[in-house]
Short mmCIF file of all heavy atoms in Angstrom, two decimals:
data_model
loop_
_atom_site.label_atom_id
_atom_site.label_comp_id
_atom_site.label_asym_id
_atom_site.label_seq_id
_atom_site.Cartn_x
_atom_site.Cartn_y
_atom_site.Cartn_z
N ASN V 10 -10.84 24.15 -7.64
CA ASN V 10 -9.87 25.19 -7.97
C ASN V 10 -9.09 24.83 -9.23
O ASN V 10 -8.79 25.70 -10.05
CB ASN V 10 -8.88 25.41 -6.81
CG ASN V 10 -9.50 26.24 -5.70
OD1 ASN V 10 -10.49 26.93 -5.90
ND2 ASN V 10 -8.91 26.17 -4.52
N ALA V 19 0.51 24.98 -0.87
CA ALA V 19 0.56 24.23 0.40
C ALA V 19 1.94 24.39 1.01
O ALA V 19 2.95 24.29 0.30
CB ALA V 19 0.26 22.76 0.16
N ALA V 36 1.95 28.69 11.22
CA ALA V 36 0.50 28.57 10.98
C ALA V 36 -0.14 29.96 10.90
O ALA V 36 -1.00 30.22 10.05
CB ALA V 36 -0.14 27.75 12.09
N VAL V 66 -0.82 23.78 15.45
CA VAL V 66 -1.20 24.43 14.20
C VAL V 66 -2.70 24.70 14.19
O VAL V 66 -3.17 25.77 13.80
CB VAL V 66 -0.76 23.55 13.00
CG1 VAL V 66 -1.37 24.05 11.71
CG2 VAL V 66 0.75 23.53 12.89
N ILE V 84 0.04 8.55 10.72
CA ILE V 84 -1.43 8.66 10.61
C ILE V 84 -1.94 9.23 11.93
O ILE V 84 -1.59 8.74 13.01
CB ILE V 84 -2.07 7.28 10.35
CG1 ILE V 84 -1.59 6.73 9.01
CG2 ILE V 84 -3.59 7.37 10.40
CD1 ILE V 84 -1.98 5.28 8.77
N LYS V 86 -5.56 11.18 13.71
CA LYS V 86 -6.96 11.59 13.54
C LYS V 86 -7.16 13.10 13.64
O LYS V 86 -8.22 13.60 13.27
CB LYS V 86 -7.80 10.96 14.64
CG LYS V 86 -7.95 9.48 14.56
CD LYS V 86 -8.92 9.04 15.63
CE LYS V 86 -8.27 7.96 16.48
NZ LYS V 86 -9.07 7.34 17.46
N SER V 98 6.44 5.89 -8.96
CA SER V 98 7.70 6.00 -9.72
C SER V 98 8.66 4.88 -9.35
O SER V 98 9.64 4.65 -10.04
CB SER V 98 8.37 7.35 -9.43
OG SER V 98 8.62 7.47 -8.03
N TYR V 115 -6.67 1.32 10.37
CA TYR V 115 -6.50 2.58 11.11
C TYR V 115 -7.10 3.74 10.33
O TYR V 115 -7.74 4.63 10.88
CB TYR V 115 -5.00 2.84 11.37
CG TYR V 115 -4.37 1.77 12.22
CD1 TYR V 115 -3.77 0.67 11.63
CD2 TYR V 115 -4.39 1.85 13.61
CE1 TYR V 115 -3.20 -0.34 12.40
CE2 TYR V 115 -3.83 0.84 14.39
CZ TYR V 115 -3.23 -0.24 13.77
OH TYR V 115 -2.68 -1.23 14.53
N LEU V 130 8.70 10.34 -7.43
CA LEU V 130 9.95 11.00 -7.08
C LEU V 130 10.77 11.20 -8.35
O LEU V 130 10.94 10.27 -9.16
CB LEU V 130 10.73 10.15 -6.06
CG LEU V 130 10.12 10.16 -4.65
CD1 LEU V 130 10.79 9.10 -3.76
CD2 LEU V 130 10.26 11.54 -4.00
N HIS V 150 15.72 13.08 -14.26
CA HIS V 150 15.25 14.46 -14.37
C HIS V 150 14.79 14.82 -15.80
O HIS V 150 13.82 15.55 -15.99
CB HIS V 150 16.40 15.38 -13.94
CG HIS V 150 16.01 16.81 -13.81
ND1 HIS V 150 16.25 17.75 -14.79
CD2 HIS V 150 15.37 17.48 -12.82
CE1 HIS V 150 15.79 18.93 -14.40
NE2 HIS V 150 15.26 18.79 -13.21
N THR V 159 4.00 7.24 -16.50
CA THR V 159 3.73 6.83 -15.11
C THR V 159 2.50 7.55 -14.58
O THR V 159 1.63 6.94 -13.94
CB THR V 159 4.96 7.15 -14.22
OG1 THR V 159 6.12 6.57 -14.81
CG2 THR V 159 4.78 6.62 -12.81
N SER V 186 9.34 21.55 -18.31
CA SER V 186 8.86 20.73 -19.43
C SER V 186 8.20 19.46 -18.92
O SER V 186 7.16 19.03 -19.44
CB SER V 186 9.98 20.44 -20.44
OG SER V 186 10.71 19.32 -20.08
#
Side-chain angles (χ1 to χ4, degrees):
N10 282 341
V66 169
I84 297 170
K86 292 185 234 186
S98 58
Y115 298 91
L130 287 170
H150 188 261
T159 307
S186 87

